[in-house]
Amino acid sequence: MDVSLTLWVLTIVGLAALISIDFFIGRKPHDVSIKEAGIWTIVWIVLAALFGLGLLVFGGGQPAGEFFAGFITEKSLSVDNLFVFVLIMTKFAVPSQYQQRVLLVGVLIALVLRAVFIAAGAAIIANFSWIFYIFGAFLIWTAWKLIKEARAPEEEEEFEENKLLKAAERRFGVADRYHGTKLWIEQNGKRVMTPMLVVMLAIGTTDVLFALDSIPAIFGLTQDPYIVFTANAFALMGLRQLYFLLGGLLSKLVHLAYGLSIILGFIGVKLVLHALHESGVHVPVISIPVSLGVICSVLIVTTITSLRASKKQARAEDSADKNSIDV
């Protein structure tokens, strides 16, 4: 898809306007209700759908199909991010009324960092076609790793700060408590960071780790930097509302890791086949409609089986509690 500089500028300005509106509406710290989170989740999904339809009208079926496949993939992978976001919020004991501000800025940082990743990925792909072999192998390895982690005995997870975050805390110092939404304060004559800024940086920089598999995954569906960027942007910008909407439902998605592993493994195979095809080897090439069908089917089946398994487990626990009381 041939994208002019003007369209790039208009797209970035439009996304910035949407983020500004989101920030303006949520500027006052408050506890986000399920209703509010649900409404805004629907708004972001509708906006993504309208953008995809716009691509269909002005660009054709190919870019529109690539966008929807990329958006759904990034959205499903971003749900996995929410588990880590919960750990971060718990680690830093973020007051509930400040969580929406933390997520908004944290996701904005993540979006900027992903833009850098996407630009780098596009440049590498343009000059080194063999990178598809590495991307494909990495995604297949990640898929296997997800399965191993899902089958491992459950242990209580705890968020561990990365080296960059620890270095920033040592360099600038951190206040001993939250000071509303302030990011910097004067303490003992020294300018120090507040826990609010620390947790924002934690969410933003932690997303870089998730980008290591999500960026190769979407490049496996499309090599168009414009579609890669917009699919990531729409998937990330609705992440804040999804965090509050899902809430306790996250713990019920017990088969999510298996579903994501299948999706990543499938895209990894698709990348390897694409690389072989580009090298002149006669192999089948997986089309976008097939990719979109596989991704949606896996997510639907994973969600249904997860909810059934969680319901069955809840019944077993209730039965065990009842027997214990009877005894």
Side-chain angles (χ1 to χ4, degrees):
M1 181 177 174
D2 187 21
V3 180
S4 65
L5 178 60
T6 302
L7 182 56
W8 268 106
V9 172
L10 289 175
T11 301
I12 293 173
V13 169
L15 291 173
L18 291 174
I19 293 172
S20 300
I21 292 171
D22 195 14
F23 186 86
F24 178 78
I25 293 174
R27 69 189 186 283
K28 185 178 180 181
H30 65 284
D31 292 323
V32 179
S33 65
I34 296 296
K35 180 180 179 181
E36 179 184 347
I39 291 172
W40 278 102
T41 297
I42 293 172
V43 167
W44 283 115
I45 292 176
V46 169
L47 288 173
L50 290 174
F51 182 83
L53 291 175
L55 286 176
L56 177 62
V57 172
F58 296 103
Q62 180 75 12
E66 292 176 353
F67 171 79
F68 283 118
F71 172 73
I72 294 171
T73 299
E74 292 299 311
K75 200 70 173 177
S76 60
L77 290 172
S78 68
V79 172
D80 200 36
N81 299 20
L82 298 182
F83 288 98
V84 178
F85 289 175
V86 170
L87 295 177
I88 293 174
M89 294 291 190
T90 304
K91 165 77 174 181
F92 292 99
V94 182
S96 59
Q97 67 268 28
Y98 298 142
Q99 289 184 5
Q100 51 90 23
R101 176 65 63 84
V102 167
L103 287 169
L104 177 62
V105 179
V107 167
L108 184 59
I109 294 172
L111 182 58
V112 173
L113 293 176
R114 285 205 182 196
V116 175
F117 268 67
I118 292 167
I124 293 173
I125 288 172
N127 293 282
F128 307 101
S129 59
W130 50 261
I131 197 68
F132 285 115
Y133 289 109
I134 297 177
F135 279 0
F138 177 73
L139 289 179
I140 293 172
W141 175 80
T142 303
W144 171 243
K145 185 180 176 183
L146 276 175
I147 293 176
K148 287 180 64 177
E149 290 176 354
R151 298 179 64 181
E154 289 188 14
E155 296 180 2
E156 188 173 344
E157 295 183 83
E158 186 176 347
F159 172 73
E160 185 176 345
E161 298 176 28
N162 55 56
K163 292 182 179 179
L164 179 63
L165 199 57
K166 289 179 179 179
E169 291 176 1
R170 287 194 300 268
R171 171 65 179 82
F172 299 103
V174 182
D176 55 356
R177 63 182 178 85
Y178 287 88
H179 293 263
T181 57
K182 291 182 178 179
L183 305 181
W184 297 88
I185 63 163
E186 292 285 340
Q187 184 172 285
N188 299 325
K190 181 183 178 183
R191 186 176 173 80
V192 299
M193 298 189 298
T194 65
M196 176 69 74
L197 178 56
V198 175
V199 71
M200 286 177 178
L201 293 174
I203 287 178
T205 55
T206 299
D207 182 78
V208 173
L209 300 177
F210 292 100
L212 293 178
D213 54 38
S214 67
I215 297 301
I218 194 170
F219 270 117
L221 298 169
T222 175
Q223 285 82 60
D224 190 325
Y226 181 77
I227 296 176
V228 173
F229 174 73
T230 51
N232 266 272
F234 279 106
L236 279 178
M237 287 193 298
L239 195 57
R240 178 171 67 93
Q241 289 79 10
L242 201 60
Y243 173 88
F244 296 106
L245 180 63
L246 293 180
L249 185 62
L250 285 174
S251 60
K252 296 182 180 180
L253 299 177
V254 293
H255 296 160
L256 178 64
Y258 293 105
L260 294 180
S261 67
I262 293 172
I263 291 173
L264 291 177
F266 168 77
I267 298 176
V269 172
K270 184 178 185 298
L271 274 171
V272 173
L273 290 175
H274 175 77
L276 289 171
H277 181 76
E278 290 295 310
S279 300
V281 181
H282 295 289
V283 293
V285 177
I286 302 173
S287 66
I288 287 298
V290 172
S291 300
L292 189 55
V294 169
I295 292 167
C296 291
S297 299
V298 169
L299 290 176
I300 291 170
V301 172
T302 299
T303 302
I304 293 173
T305 57
S306 293
L307 295 178
R308 284 183 176 177
S310 298
K311 192 174 182 179
K312 185 177 180 180
Q313 184 180 1
R315 285 177 180 173
E317 290 175 354
D318 290 341
S319 178
D321 291 340
K322 184 177 179 181
N323 291 335
S324 177
I325 292 173
D326 292 340
V327 171

